[in-house]
Amino acid sequence: MMALNYGNFVGLKFSYIVYELERSDASTKAPSWPVGVDGVHPPTKIPIPVPPSPSAKGNEPQRRPLQLSKQGQVLEIAIETAANVILDLKNSLNDWDSKVGDGDCGSTMYRGAKAILEDIKNYPLNDAAETVNEIGSTIRRAMGGTSGIIYTIFCKAAYTQLKPSSGSVVTPKQWAEALAASIAAVSKYGGASAGYRTLLDALLPASSVLQEVLTIEIKCWGGSYHCFCSVF
C-alpha cells in the first residue's frame, strides 16, 4: 500500500481497481489500451484544423503595416484596450478563480495579454482575419495549459470565419458571425455548453446581446457602420 500526505499532493487522486488477470486481455474499445483480437481502437485524438500563422508560412516575419487603415486603427485600439483591462484584472481573476479552481486564471490571462501587447507591433492590423490568427498564435505560445488551447481554438475559428473577407473591411455582422463560430468551436472541442460554468456562460450572452444590437441597428439606422460603433 502507498501512503500519501494530501497536504503535499493537493488534488492528487488514485483509483485502485482490482480485476481478474484473465480479463486484462479482453476486447475493449478504450483508447490507448492494448486490446484483444476483437477490440477496435477509436480515435484517441480529435483533429482540430489549425491554420498556420502568416509568420510561420515563410522566413519573413510579420510586420505592422507602414500606414494603418481606419479599420486597422480601430482594431489596434480595441486589442490594446482589452489586453490592458486583463492586465489590471490579474489579481481579481486569481481571487475569483481560487474560490472554484486553482487560483491561477488571472496569472494565465496576464501572460497572454502581456504577450499580445508585445507582439502587436508585428500584427497585420489592416487585415482583421490575419490579425485574429496572429493573436491565436501568440496565445498558444504564451499561455499554455487548457486555457491556452481553448482560446487558440476560439481565435482560429474566428480566423476561418473571417478569412473570406480578408483584406476588406469587416462588417459588424461578420464580427458577430465570427464570434458565434468561435463559441461553437469551443463548445465542440471542449465539450461544454451553457450552464457548465465555463467561459461559454459569458460568451453566449455576449453573442446574444451583439445579435440584438445588430438587429436594432439595422432597423433604426439602416445598417450604418458608424451608428453601430456609436452604440458601444
Side-chain angles (χ1 to χ4, degrees):
M1 297 296 291
M2 179 182 295
L4 292 177
N5 182 339
Y6 282 90
N8 296 328
F9 295 91
V10 178
L12 185 61
K13 297 180 180 179
F14 283 92
S15 295
Y16 183 64
I17 303 174
V18 179
Y19 60 94
E20 296 180 2
L21 182 60
E22 61 269 18
R23 295 297 298 169
S24 64
D25 291 327
S27 301
T28 178
K29 293 184 178 181
S32 302
W33 186 266
V35 297
V37 294
D38 297 327
V40 178
H41 282 297
T44 57
K45 297 181 180 179
I46 300 175
I48 301 175
V50 178
S53 67
S55 57
K57 294 177 182 177
N59 295 327
E60 290 296 324
Q62 283 292 296
R63 287 288 181 265
R64 174 193 177 94
L66 295 178
Q67 184 174 358
L68 292 181
S69 63
K70 182 178 180 180
Q71 176 179 256
Q73 294 172 10
V74 172
L75 197 54
E76 181 180 43
I77 293 172
I79 294 170
E80 290 180 340
T81 301
N84 281 308
V85 168
I86 291 174
L87 295 185
D88 293 339
L89 287 174
K90 175 185 176 182
N91 292 333
S92 295
L93 290 172
N94 280 338
D95 182 53
W96 296 334
D97 187 38
S98 67
K99 293 175 172 55
V100 294
D102 49 10
D104 67 345
C105 177
S107 299
T108 303
M109 298 289 287
Y110 181 93
R111 288 198 307 272
K114 191 169 185 297
I116 287 172
L117 290 175
E118 292 172 353
D119 289 355
I120 194 172
K121 62 181 180 293
N122 292 325
Y123 289 166
L125 293 165
N126 288 345
D127 189 321
E130 295 294 351
T131 297
V132 171
N133 191 38
E134 286 296 314
I135 291 174
S137 298
T138 296
I139 289 174
R140 183 175 68 248
R141 170 179 55 81
M143 289 180 64
T146 303
S147 296
I149 295 172
I150 293 297
Y151 285 112
T152 299
I153 292 172
F154 182 92
C155 290
K156 298 305 181 182
Y159 163 79
T160 301
Q161 184 69 31
L162 293 172
K163 184 60 178 174
S165 60
S166 183
S168 60
V169 175
V170 178
T171 66
K173 182 176 183 294
Q174 289 170 322
W175 280 117
E177 291 170 348
L179 175 59
S182 297
I183 292 172
V186 170
S187 179
K188 175 182 179 180
Y189 295 113
S193 57
Y196 278 55
R197 294 187 297 178
T198 68
L199 77 166
L200 293 181
D201 286 334
L203 291 175
L204 286 167
S207 181
S208 296
V209 170
L210 180 56
Q211 294 290 352
E212 291 174 7
V213 171
L214 277 173
T215 301
I216 295 172
E217 179 260 347
I218 291 172
K219 289 181 178 179
C220 296
W221 297 300
S224 169
Y225 181 80
H226 172 74
C227 290
F228 170 83
C229 292
S230 68
V231 172
F232 295 95

